[in-house]
Amino acid sequence: MRISLQAFVVLWGALVFVGCNSSKKEAEPLETAKEEPLNIIFMIGDGMGVPQVSSAYYFGDSLPNFSRFKQIGFHQTSATDYTITDSAAGATAFSTGEKTYNRAIGVSVDSLPQETILERLQGEGYQTGLISLTTITHATPASFYAHVPDRDMHEEIASQLVESNVDFFAGGGKKFFNQRTDGKNLFEELVDKNYHLDTLELSETIKGKKNAYVLADDGIPSKIDGRGDYLSEATTMALNYFDQREEPFFMMVEGSYIDWGGHAENAEMMISEVADFDKTLGVVLDYVEAHPNTLLVVTADHETGGVSIGKHYEVDKSTGKKKEVPEKVTVYFNSNQHSGELIPVFAKGKGAENFQGIYENNEIYHKMINAINQAK
């Protein structure tokens, strides 16, 4: 059968139209599919440098969870006024993306409030959480929600926490809430703001409420003083709580007493705190592996103690001389203060590759924000 050129063109156009529409229809699910928002878990081992991480390998009974990371970098820690940073300036650099002076909490070098990553993500619909072993008003956790010129303004910091709308927080510091110089009882204000509050134990979270656990007048006890598994249990509770809702979350978890072990030049304390942090790290890594839409970043604000791990000597009873024990090592402290060491950064999950290299501490904020933007 012969057809005219004009009829052929019309027929060909119709076939192309049908074919194009068919292809477009098949592609629609891919075009409209959306990535899940990125969860961020930020773990800070306060005072944890390379030697502290190394202790987990020399004194532990099994391979540390640190070995589960493939993406590793280093950051430089200096504050704007001191080469050796404190925890306040270090955490503020993490939380705001801007370096500042020692003792500053969530403020710039001019003492002006700076929006933190926690506050920014709250504005984008994120759930938020904070877990610490110290008072929840201490420098590291405070730097994520408070804005004061000096870290010792604990009562003002506690007042700002009440107004911060953090969904889940756990730590110590009762005295800054209910034994205040202004006579206020901030625990009553938390309850009025629909918080499930517990000042005795890590009781079960309540869905539909914010949850607050303030469990000691000052800090939670150290591991060698009988703390138990508080850090891993609180972290597990928070993850389960966040999973009850569809919104993404940002959570900061601090292993606070690695730093205190360095200040006290107490090797047993430092080793046990690193081991406890590594145990909690295992909980979080399991979560990240089961939830691909999550980024875990692990680092420290600074190193404490100028720690090194070296040869172990014992006195030979027959000669009275020191003799090296080949199969053992010893923790040595160079000082009881912070040092200027580069600090390791471990990352796992979506966007982890961005944390390789050597960079300033405030860049961690920008890398986390970039990872969130890339996941959108």
Side-chain angles (χ1 to χ4, degrees):
M1 181 179 71
R2 299 177 64 184
I3 61 174
S4 68
L5 179 60
Q6 182 178 7
F8 175 79
V9 170
V10 170
L11 179 60
W12 180 83
L15 289 172
V16 169
F17 177 79
V18 171
C20 287
N21 274 0
S22 175
S23 298
K24 186 174 182 181
K25 188 173 182 179
E26 290 175 2
E28 275 182 355
L30 293 176
E31 292 175 356
T32 57
K34 292 183 179 179
E35 294 280 351
E36 291 184 72
L38 189 66
N39 302 316
I40 300 282
I41 304 172
F42 188 32
M43 296 183 68
I44 300 174
D46 199 311
M48 184 183 71
V50 171
Q52 284 80 359
V53 173
S54 300
S55 74
Y57 288 82
Y58 287 106
F59 298 98
D61 297 324
S62 59
L63 187 67
N65 286 299
F66 285 107
S67 291
R68 296 165 68 177
F69 291 96
K70 303 302 180 188
Q71 312 291 347
I72 303 171
F74 289 89
H75 73 77
Q76 297 174 280
T77 63
S78 61
T80 57
D81 57 343
Y82 285 88
T83 301
I84 306 301
T85 191
D86 77 339
S87 294
T92 296
F94 295 150
S95 70
T96 68
E98 183 176 324
K99 283 181 177 282
T100 190
Y101 61 91
N102 278 356
R103 305 193 67 83
I105 299 290
V107 297
S108 68
V109 291
D110 299 319
S111 298
L112 298 175
Q114 302 297 303
E115 182 182 56
T116 70
I117 188 169
L118 182 147
E119 293 166 330
R120 175 173 178 168
L121 294 181
Q122 278 182 333
E124 297 182 18
Y126 272 63
Q127 305 175 77
T128 54
L130 297 167
I131 298 172
S132 180
L133 300 174
T134 57
T135 67
I136 197 64
T137 61
H138 212 264
T140 301
S143 295
F144 287 85
Y145 64 84
H147 309 276
V148 294
D150 190 275
R151 60 184 290 173
D152 283 346
M153 299 172 67
H154 288 279
E155 291 192 359
E156 174 58 28
I157 292 169
S159 295
Q160 292 188 27
L161 177 57
V162 172
E163 301 299 327
S164 69
N165 292 317
V166 174
D167 295 280
F168 180 105
F169 64 84
K174 290 182 189 179
K175 62 185 181 182
F176 302 121
F177 291 83
N178 65 355
Q179 302 169 42
R180 298 166 55 87
T181 56
D182 60 11
K184 291 182 179 180
N185 186 337
L186 299 186
F187 288 149
E188 293 177 354
E189 295 185 22
L190 284 171
V191 172
D192 289 341
K193 289 180 176 293
N194 197 38
Y195 274 89
H196 161 61
L197 171 67
D198 200 322
T199 60
L200 299 175
E201 62 179 353
L202 288 171
S203 57
E204 186 176 352
T205 58
I206 297 180
K207 184 178 181 180
K209 283 180 173 283
K210 293 175 169 55
N211 290 265
Y213 302 90
V214 188
L215 304 180
D217 278 343
D218 210 318
I220 307 294
S222 68
K223 194 68 177 175
I224 61 176
D225 289 329
R227 181 175 70 241
D229 292 326
Y230 160 86
L231 192 62
S232 58
E233 290 175 356
T235 301
T236 300
M237 284 177 58
L239 292 173
N240 291 336
Y241 170 71
F242 292 137
D243 272 354
Q244 295 174 355
R245 290 165 51 185
E246 294 183 358
E247 295 88 350
F249 67 86
F250 170 87
M251 177 169 67
M252 190 285 296
V253 179
E254 182 193 20
S256 319
Y257 292 151
I258 300 169
D259 173 66
W260 291 39
H263 283 303
E265 299 183 65
N266 185 325
E268 181 188 4
M269 183 179 188
M270 186 204 81
I271 291 166
S272 64
E273 293 297 338
V274 172
D276 190 50
F277 187 80
D278 184 71
K279 179 178 180 178
T280 305
L281 190 54
V283 170
V284 177
L285 282 166
D286 289 346
Y287 181 90
V288 173
E289 289 169 3
H291 298 78
N293 62 314
T294 305
L295 170 64
L296 167 63
V297 180
V298 182
T299 191
D301 43 6
H302 52 74
E303 190 276 343
T304 305
V307 171
S308 66
I309 296 178
K311 295 180 178 181
H312 179 82
Y313 296 93
E314 292 181 0
V315 176
D316 187 322
K317 293 181 180 179
S318 62
T319 64
K321 296 181 178 180
K322 288 198 309 181
K323 181 180 180 181
E324 182 182 350
V325 181
E327 67 274 15
K328 291 184 178 182
V329 295
T330 293
V331 173
Y332 295 93
F333 294 93
N334 183 56
S335 77
N336 61 3
Q337 295 299 313
H338 301 172
S339 75
E341 290 188 13
L342 295 183
I343 298 298
V345 183
F346 305 87
K348 180 93 169 180
K350 191 176 292 185
E353 66 280 0
N354 298 322
F355 291 84
Q356 296 178 124
I358 300 176
Y359 39 85
E360 296 292 336
N361 55 1
N362 60 305
E363 285 300 311
I364 290 177
Y365 166 95
H366 300 287
K367 291 176 182 294
M368 290 191 288
I369 293 297
N370 286 340
I372 291 170
N373 290 334
Q374 290 169 5
K376 288 181 179 179

